[in-house]
Amino acid sequence: MTVTANSQLLAGRVILITGAASGIGAAVAQCCAAQGATAILLDKNLPALEKVYDSIIEQGHAIPAIYPLDLKGASQDDYLNLANSIEQNFFRLDGLIHCAASLGQLAPVPHQNSKLWAEILHVNLSAPVMLTRACLSLLESTDDSFIVFTTDSVQAKAYWGAYGIAKAGIECFASQLADEQASSGRIKICSFDPGRVNTEFLKRAYPALNPSDLPKAEDIAPDYLEIIHASAATVHGKQLQHSVKQSSLASE
């Protein structure tokens, strides 16, 4: 399946996107809105969320919702409150796309700051796990729902510390959850590594790298739509990568 702009393939669906204030999260949110979805924009940066909101409205897409939340300090109760709010206001949730990420400290193991280590593990691993758990019953109550976890190939590389460990954990969690959901077939679950993308996050991670030749967030966002529209048999339980995404979905 080739997804084209404004094809309205997500009309009537409600999709929660984390990290929606900037980078890949913002681009994915705008892509989903262009397909007709009601995008719930979650991030800690309210002014940036409002800019994404305004951009979606200006393009004439479905009115999105803003949900400001700092994952660093959020608890399970915060995520349950979010799920309850979605149910009360939208009566459904069709998809959850995890794009939020925090880089933390790139340093050798002996020099890792313990407090920052715990914070980065929480934002990149515990937070998406708790949010997913809170939203599961809503996702199970709709047909053809999905969860996409954004991951990264740097996991076992030197100096990547808690961020790398968290991304390895997210892939493991995605596989566990996909296995648990396989028998019911109600939620399509996978992880996706978009590779190096020209974003502010990448510039912080690779300050010496010239990002001009790399794809921009808006170039990568359609990959998420391809995953959303792919059959469960094609993507469920898989760890997809941008470089092999087209061949992985070729059967579509």
Side-chain angles (χ1 to χ4, degrees):
M1 172 184 290
T2 300
V3 180
T4 59
N6 302 305
S7 55
Q8 299 296 296
L9 291 173
L10 295 175
R13 308 190 79 186
V14 178
I15 301 175
L16 172 60
I17 304 103
T18 73
S22 62
I24 293 175
V28 169
Q30 296 198 57
C31 247
C32 289
Q35 294 283 320
T38 296
I40 302 175
L41 314 173
L42 187 150
D43 202 290
K44 65 181 180 181
N45 189 335
L46 180 56
L49 280 179
E50 290 173 339
K51 289 182 180 179
V52 177
Y53 177 98
D54 290 343
S55 175
I56 291 173
I57 294 296
E58 288 168 4
Q59 294 175 64
H61 303 317
I63 298 174
I66 289 178
Y67 201 97
L69 184 65
D70 187 348
L71 300 182
K72 184 171 72 173
S75 67
Q76 186 65 47
D77 285 343
D78 293 312
Y79 299 119
L80 291 172
N81 289 338
L82 167 58
N84 289 335
S85 178
I86 293 172
E87 184 173 22
Q88 290 171 10
N89 288 281
F90 300 100
F91 312 108
R92 63 186 296 144
L93 182 64
D94 299 278
L96 171 55
I97 304 177
H98 292 280
C99 294
S102 183
L103 180 61
Q105 181 185 26
L106 301 184
V109 170
H111 301 292
Q112 291 284 338
N113 179 278
S114 296
K115 181 180 178 182
L116 187 56
W117 173 280
E119 288 179 357
I120 297 306
L121 277 181
H122 180 81
V123 171
N124 294 293
L125 179 56
S126 297
V129 168
M130 289 190 290
L131 174 56
T132 299
R133 262 189 347 204
C135 292
L136 269 181
S137 61
L138 267 176
L139 291 164
E140 288 172 338
S141 65
T142 59
D143 294 328
D144 195 27
S145 59
F146 59 87
I147 305 172
V148 181
F149 296 89
T150 302
T151 186
D152 198 317
S153 63
V154 301
Q155 300 163 13
K157 294 183 178 179
Y159 313 123
W160 282 88
Y163 174 81
I165 296 296
K167 288 304 182 182
I170 277 297
E171 287 191 1
C172 181
F173 175 70
S175 296
Q176 287 180 349
L177 188 59
D179 198 28
E180 292 177 10
Q181 292 287 327
S183 59
S184 70
R186 298 200 64 82
I187 309 176
K188 180 172 59 183
I189 301 164
C190 69
S191 61
F192 174 58
D193 175 9
R196 292 184 179 182
V197 182
N198 186 352
T199 61
E200 290 303 316
F201 184 92
L202 179 124
K203 292 172 185 176
R204 292 195 300 272
Y206 299 96
L209 181 68
N210 181 359
S212 59
D213 293 331
L214 297 175
K216 297 179 180 179
E218 53 266 34
D219 299 324
I220 293 296
D223 288 2
Y224 286 81
L225 294 182
E226 294 281 356
I227 291 169
I228 290 170
H229 294 301
S231 67
T234 305
V235 301
H236 185 73
K238 303 288 181 63
Q239 296 174 357
L240 303 171
Q241 297 179 339
H242 172 64
S243 59
V244 298
K245 193 268 309 177
Q246 291 297 340
S247 60
S248 296
L249 305 183
S251 61
E252 288 297 293

